[in-house]
């Protein structure tokens, strides 16, 4: 039976909007979802098999079938969640004229961004030793810019792209040369730091504590006990990053990697409305990935490399960073193994800020307070010292009176050790 018959809609054609009882949603554009590949295949076979659109779809299937092998964590549920945000785009009211206009302007955007992506790839192509075949391997593995090649350890490029050791070493070396990576004068470093942009947290006090807000080109770790506002701050930043510069944003989109299932679009709506923003647009600019285990989490960050440019991502959230690692390594594996993997994951994140200096990465980390060391050093956190060394800025959160929370910067190379008080209300983070 085809989707069309299942829906009792005889006139169904590829590209028509249709209600899909398989995933209880309306699809448009004829995009086929992984959870009903079989039905989709039947429809395509009935359609003109030579049409360009169908050919593209078929290619997609091949990729997706490959993915199906990893069944241990990619069951049907996973697929649904992963695609929820992609689908959001397509579910909106089709008749709405405003919506159609929006679609048009979006097309323009994509073109422009494709060009820059293309330009990046062109630059990779000019590296000595990079022919067509090597280029394809690199791009497919996500190394589509000189920066991503220069900043990634050779072993990772080798493993992900399948290129040989010598070729990889040579390519990295020439990418570094092209980018002029090496020693810099302090003046150059200062010029770079002067131009760092910042995202407002919503609270003036907290912004002041961070010398103006959440900085780009850095990883910020917000850690504290349960209900100290870590997830709320992450939500607020996903909204605020989209604000125009004069309102404290950096006009970018956000990528939210949720390991605990605590992301709530309804909070985004409340926060957007408090800022007089169109919540539909705000939601559209938050790409969501639910990580079901630590392997999946690592994979999502690796995949992020490919969409940062395309989707204009300026903020990546990982909420929470080590929850999965902690629970998975109880009773199996050693602490050293766990630390090793957390360390690699954190370095994947740090590397992203090297490749994309106008990207900010915020992670959360839940700690249990030890009552007797509450004020001294409550930082014997879940990830131990590795997190402390890997993050650039660490902010410790604790509860104050009522809706108040206290933030304290710990260990930041350039920030004073001071505290800020902020509140969490229905409207989000404020003073
Ligand atoms: P965690 O640090 O565990 O991630 P959260 O960020 O989830 O903590 O913070 C939870 C707190 O946020 C709640 O205790 C509550 O004080 C506040 N909060 C959550 N939602 C709302 C809301 N809609 N209105 C006001 N406060 C809220
Ligand atoms: Mg939380």
């Amino acid at each position: 039976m085809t989707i069309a018959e299942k829906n009792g809609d005889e006139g169904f054609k590829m590209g028509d909007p249709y209600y899909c009882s398989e995933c209880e949603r309306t699809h448009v554009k004829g995009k086929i979802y992984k959870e009903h590949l079989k039905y989709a295949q039947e429809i395509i076979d009935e359609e003109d098999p030579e049409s360009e659109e169908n050919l593209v779809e078929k290619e997609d299937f091949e990729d997706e079938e490959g993915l199906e092998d990893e069944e241990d964590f990619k069951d049907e549920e996973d697929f649904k969640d992963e695609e929820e945000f992609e689908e959001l785009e397509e579910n909106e009211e089709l008749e709405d004229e405003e919506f159609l206009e929006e679609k048009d302007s979006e097309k323009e955007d994509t073109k422009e961004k494709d060009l820059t992506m293309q330009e990046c790839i062109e630059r990779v192509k000019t590296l000595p030793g990079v022919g067509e075949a090597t280029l394809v391997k690199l791009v497919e593995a996500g190394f589509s810019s000189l920066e991503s090649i220069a900043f990634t350890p050779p072993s990772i490029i080798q493993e992900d792209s399948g290129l040989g050791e010598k070729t990889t070493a040579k390519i990295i070396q020439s990418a570094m040369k092209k980018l002029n990576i090496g020693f810099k004068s302090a003046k150059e470093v200062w010029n770079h730091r002067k131009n760092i942009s910042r995202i407002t947290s919503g609270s003036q006090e907290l912004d002041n504590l961070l010398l103006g807000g959440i900085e780009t080109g850095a990883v910020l770790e917000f850690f504290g006990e349960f209900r100290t506002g870590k997830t709320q701050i992450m939500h607020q930043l996903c909204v605020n990053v989209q604000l125009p510069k004069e309102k404290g944003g950096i006009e970018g989109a956000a990528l939210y990697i949720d390991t605990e299932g605590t992301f709530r679009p309804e909070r985004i709506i409340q926060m957007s409305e408090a800022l007089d923003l169109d919540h539909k647009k705000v939601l559209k600019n938050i790409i969501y990935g639910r990580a079901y285990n630590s392997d999946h989490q690592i994979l999502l960050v690796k995949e992020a490399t490919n969409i940062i440019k395309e989707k204009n991502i300026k903020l990546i959230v990982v909420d929470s960073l080590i929850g999965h690692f902690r629970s998975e390594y109880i009773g199996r594996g050693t602490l050293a193994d766990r630390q090793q993997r957390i360390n690699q994951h954190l370095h994947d994140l740090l590397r992203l800020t090297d490749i994309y200096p106008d990207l900010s990465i915020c992670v959360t980390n839940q700690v249990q307070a030890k009552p007797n060391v509450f004020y001294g050093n409550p930082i014997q956190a879940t990830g131990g010292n590795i997190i402390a060394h890997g993050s650039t800025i660490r902010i410790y959160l604790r509860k104050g009176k009522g809706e108040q929370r206290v933030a304290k910067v710990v260990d930041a190379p350039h920030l004073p050790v001071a505290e800020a008080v902020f509140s969490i209300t229905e409207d989000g983070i404020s003073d």
Side-chain angles (χ1 to χ4, degrees):
M1 188 165 31
T2 65
I3 298 178
E5 281 159 4
K6 243 180 126 61
N7 287 285
D9 175 10
E10 295 301 327
F12 175 83
K13 281 204 295 290
M14 282 292 284
D16 282 352
Y18 65 95
Y19 180 77
C20 171
S21 50
E22 282 297 303
C23 56
E24 299 182 347
R25 274 190 277 251
T26 302
H27 298 315
V28 289
K29 286 201 226 162
K31 183 167 175 188
I32 305 300
Y33 294 90
K34 292 165 187 164
E35 57 263 47
H36 33 72
L37 275 178
K38 281 201 205 85
Y39 303 102
Q41 192 63 61
E42 284 170 40
I43 288 183
I44 283 200
D45 289 341
E46 281 164 29
E47 291 284 317
D48 175 8
E50 296 314 318
S51 105
E52 214 180 283
E53 204 178 308
N54 287 348
L55 284 177
V56 174
E57 296 283 355
K58 272 196 176 166
E59 257 173 47
D60 283 347
F61 292 151
E62 274 160 28
D63 286 343
E64 282 156 9
E65 263 159 27
L67 271 175
E68 274 187 336
D69 291 341
E70 304 172 25
E71 254 166 23
D72 15 7
F73 65 89
K74 288 205 172 234
D75 58 25
E76 242 182 72
E77 271 292 296
D78 292 5
F79 281 141
K80 268 189 202 168
D81 270 319
E82 271 176 38
E83 297 217 325
E84 216 142 76
F85 266 76
E86 272 177 49
E87 285 180 51
L88 247 178
E89 231 175 69
E90 305 179 9
N91 284 346
E92 316 264 50
E93 323 87 280
L94 198 68
E95 317 83 49
D96 193 340
E97 273 186 13
E98 204 185 301
F99 168 75
L100 287 176
E101 266 173 38
E102 220 175 282
K103 279 272 133 179
D104 276 349
S105 61
E106 231 177 58
K107 261 186 202 155
E108 283 299 319
D109 266 356
T110 330
K111 262 187 208 157
E112 205 185 300
K113 273 168 205 146
D114 280 347
L115 253 182
T116 32
M117 181 80 161
Q118 199 52 47
E119 276 166 10
C120 290
I121 295 175
E122 287 300 323
R123 292 210 299 168
V124 174
K125 217 167 148 184
T126 63
L127 293 176
V130 177
E132 273 306 320
T134 309
L135 185 69
V136 169
K137 281 184 188 167
L138 285 169
V139 172
E140 277 180 356
F143 304 109
S144 43
S145 66
L146 293 181
E147 286 83 355
S148 61
I149 293 169
F151 291 118
T152 307
S155 58
I156 296 182
I157 298 191
Q158 247 175 277
E159 196 174 307
D160 293 0
S161 69
L163 291 171
E165 194 181 329
K166 277 193 187 145
T167 318
T168 309
K170 197 173 149 198
I171 292 173
I172 293 177
Q173 219 174 36
S174 30
M176 288 178 84
K177 214 165 148 190
K178 275 231 154 91
L179 291 173
N180 237 336
I181 296 174
F183 287 111
K184 289 178 204 163
S185 71
K187 188 165 168 264
E188 282 175 89
V189 178
W190 169 237
N191 274 341
H192 173 70
R193 283 206 58 84
K194 252 191 336 202
N195 292 328
I196 281 176
S197 359
R198 290 188 155 82
I199 309 166
T200 176
S201 64
S203 150
Q204 191 64 52
E205 279 224 23
L206 186 51
D207 285 355
N208 290 345
L209 184 74
L210 300 170
L211 303 185
I214 280 72
E215 57 182 76
T216 54
V219 176
L220 282 86
E221 178 195 349
F222 291 83
F223 70 105
E225 277 184 84
F226 179 58
R227 291 176 89 79
T228 47
K230 301 181 293 293
T231 300
Q232 297 302 312
I233 294 177
M234 297 304 114
H235 280 63
Q236 187 72 60
L237 291 175
C238 287
V239 177
N240 291 4
V241 68
Q242 303 185 33
L243 289 167
K245 295 219 163 77
E246 64 276 13
K247 297 221 165 128
I250 50 175
E251 292 165 21
L255 174 69
Y256 199 107
I257 298 177
D258 183 8
T259 74
E260 298 181 330
T262 48
F263 178 75
R264 294 288 174 275
E266 46 277 43
R267 277 302 273 153
I268 299 290
I269 294 174
Q270 284 175 332
M271 291 170 179
S272 308
E273 277 167 2
L275 289 167
D276 278 332
L277 297 171
D278 175 355
H279 69 253
K280 272 194 198 166
K281 282 191 185 149
V282 175
L283 284 172
K284 223 170 169 179
N285 284 325
I286 303 172
I287 317 291
Y288 174 82
R290 171 85 165 93
Y292 288 89
N293 56 45
S294 63
D295 290 324
H296 194 191
Q297 185 178 334
I298 289 169
L299 197 74
L300 285 174
V301 169
K302 287 191 188 290
E303 283 174 356
T305 326
N306 285 331
I307 60 166
I308 289 171
K309 205 164 208 128
E310 188 192 328
K311 307 256 181 198
N312 189 30
I313 307 273
K314 296 275 178 73
L315 169 73
I316 296 184
V317 164
V318 184
D319 184 22
S320 74
L321 187 71
I322 58 178
H324 281 317
F325 294 90
R326 191 173 25 171
S327 58
E328 284 167 26
Y329 280 82
I330 286 177
R332 82 163 163 101
T334 63
L335 201 63
D337 281 348
R338 182 185 88 174
Q339 293 305 86
Q340 168 79 9
R341 272 170 45 86
I342 293 175
N343 194 16
Q344 274 172 7
H345 182 48
L346 198 61
H347 277 93
D348 285 345
L349 290 167
L350 281 163
R351 204 176 314 119
L352 287 178
T353 64
D354 278 334
I355 302 173
Y356 305 100
D358 56 350
L359 176 72
S360 173
I361 298 184
C362 290
V363 305
T364 69
N365 188 4
Q366 190 171 318
V367 299
Q368 279 101 28
K370 293 183 194 162
N372 49 346
V373 286
F374 193 70
Y375 227 83
N377 182 15
I379 307 146
Q380 305 302 341
T382 29
N385 282 328
I386 282 189
I387 302 264
H389 292 148
S391 319
T392 27
I393 301 167
R394 313 188 70 216
I395 300 139
Y396 174 59
L397 300 173
R398 64 183 161 85
K399 279 187 212 164
K401 279 187 202 138
E403 59 195 26
Q404 288 193 334
R405 299 290 184 275
V406 183
K408 181 179 179 178
V409 173
V410 187
D411 278 352
H414 58 294
L415 298 174
V417 177
E419 288 192 343
V421 179
F422 64 95
S423 310
I424 312 171
T425 68
E426 173 125 356
D427 286 348
I429 307 295
S430 62
D431 276 323

